[in-house]
Amino acid sequence: MIGVYGADGFIGRHLVRRLIGQGSQVRAVSRRFDREYSDEIEGKADIVAADLSQPLAMASSLQDVNTVVQLMSSSSPGLKNDHAVADIAENVVPHVEFLDNCLSAGVKRYVFISSGGTVYGPNAPVPTPETAPTNPISSHGLTKLVVEKYIQMHGHVDGLEYVILRVANPYGPGQTFRKGQGLVPAIIDRWQKKQPVRIFGDGAARRDYIFIDDVIDAIEAATAMPGRPQLILNVGSGETRSVNEVVEAVEAATGVALKREFVEARSTDVDIACLDITLAKEALNWSPKTEFHAGIATTISQLAR
């Protein structure tokens, strides 16, 4: 059985639907479930309402689970470094305890969704391979990296199979703007509310954006790959676009010119995040398929449904 932790989030919903469609046994775990979504998957997946801060509930949820996909997080780059202590308390300590519970429950494989945009930090080579130094300048990136290290520790000491996916900036249908995270949903939210788009700095900062279906392809491949992997893999599109270019893509898809509001750049953001995805292509027999503008158009078109 595959346990999807954070099943009611953006990535989690898409992943659960994919796994159910493939006939996999799925346990969907989340701190809460939207009623419409829970009705959709009821009878097709085991549904467990539990939070990482509830170790007994987490331990119980692991019964019969062979593979864990860990998506749960309350951290966000948008929070900057204003809540570093809370980040440790909520996103490191519970993850470490959960890892211990996974080992006790006999979980064989752990797939962790890390951050390809924040763990490397500034001055990283472009494009950035997995072997590049990791020097996060945000609490969000640092907590992801610390959890990665604990996973690697258990891999070495306890033989835990793991695939750490350092995912770029995912976007696509069903993504909502919350916790200050996600440029694409932020722009769409402003468009829907007929408000100016807020742009940090001059809009020249470049990021790697990857369509949700391509992310799910990579996660699914990580759960199913043969052998006993212990890997860290970048998952992105292999391309970058500036903030201004993303705004222009949304304008093209909606046919609406958006007003721009430029504000001071955040000191916790890097100028460019560009992932080298060569290793993921080889290890997972995977590659991104969705062209950026086509993905934006699909995302906008789904809003009317």
Side-chain angles (χ1 to χ4, degrees):
M1 179 181 289
I2 300 175
V4 179
Y5 288 77
D8 195 43
F10 170 52
I11 297 176
R13 290 188 181 201
H14 281 269
L15 178 60
V16 168
R17 290 181 180 123
R18 171 73 67 82
L19 293 173
I20 289 173
Q22 300 286 9
S24 299
Q25 282 188 298
V26 179
R27 179 163 295 144
V29 184
S30 186
R31 61 175 61 92
R32 64 181 68 86
F33 284 90
D34 175 80
R35 181 60 181 272
E36 183 178 349
Y37 172 60
S38 62
D39 287 346
E40 174 192 341
I41 65 173
E42 188 173 7
K44 302 174 183 176
D46 290 344
I47 301 174
V48 177
D51 187 79
L52 273 179
S53 64
Q54 303 169 315
L56 291 178
M58 285 286 104
S60 177
S61 75
L62 288 165
Q63 184 176 356
D64 300 322
V65 171
N66 296 314
T67 298
V68 162
V69 180
Q70 177 57 277
L71 297 156
M72 284 183 166
S73 177
S74 63
S75 183
S76 164
L79 297 176
K80 299 185 289 185
N81 294 334
D82 296 338
H83 306 280
V85 174
D87 241 353
I88 296 168
E90 294 182 17
N91 292 296
V92 175
V93 176
H95 272 102
V96 173
E97 189 164 28
F98 181 64
L99 275 165
D100 289 341
N101 285 330
C102 286
L103 292 168
S104 298
V107 170
K108 301 299 182 185
R109 181 168 300 186
Y110 199 90
V111 179
F112 178 60
I113 309 306
S114 188
S115 171
T118 61
V119 298
Y120 294 112
N123 304 316
V126 177
T128 309
E130 293 85 351
T131 54
T134 47
N135 296 299
I137 56 173
S138 71
S139 178
H140 173 75
L142 191 54
T143 57
K144 292 287 189 184
L145 186 60
V146 171
V147 173
E148 285 188 18
K149 293 298 183 182
Y150 273 97
I151 294 168
Q152 291 175 276
M153 179 188 76
H154 285 301
H156 181 78
V157 175
D158 303 300
L160 179 67
E161 298 174 19
Y162 64 82
V163 184
I164 295 167
L165 300 178
R166 291 176 175 168
V167 178
N169 296 271
Y171 71 96
Q175 187 178 26
T176 57
F177 179 61
R178 53 188 171 188
K179 294 194 300 183
Q181 188 168 6
L183 176 62
V184 173
I187 296 170
I188 291 174
D189 180 68
R190 291 283 176 157
W191 163 64
Q192 290 178 310
K193 294 176 180 177
K194 299 181 179 179
Q195 296 176 345
V197 175
R198 179 176 294 180
I199 297 174
F200 292 98
D202 59 4
R206 304 188 70 84
R207 299 287 183 274
D208 186 330
Y209 299 90
I210 181 168
F211 191 65
I212 185 61
D213 288 357
D214 293 325
V215 176
I216 301 306
D217 286 347
I219 297 174
E220 187 180 18
T223 66
M225 68 185 305
R228 303 189 62 185
Q230 293 182 336
L231 296 169
I232 298 176
L233 303 172
N234 288 334
V235 173
S237 68
E239 302 174 346
T240 63
R241 284 172 174 79
S242 70
V243 174
N244 292 324
E245 287 172 332
V246 177
V247 175
E248 290 165 4
V250 174
E251 288 178 324
T254 60
V256 176
L258 301 172
K259 293 183 179 179
R260 293 155 170 77
E261 177 186 332
F262 292 90
V263 298
E264 186 178 356
R266 297 182 300 202
S267 60
T268 53
D269 288 341
V270 297
D271 293 332
I272 183 168
C274 177
L275 300 180
D276 183 339
I277 59 174
T278 303
L279 187 56
K281 287 181 177 181
E282 295 173 353
L284 299 177
N285 191 26
W286 162 93
S287 62
K289 301 171 184 172
T290 308
E291 190 275 330
F292 179 72
H293 289 87
I296 292 292
T298 299
T299 302
I300 297 296
S301 68
Q302 291 287 323
L303 294 172
R305 299 185 181 182

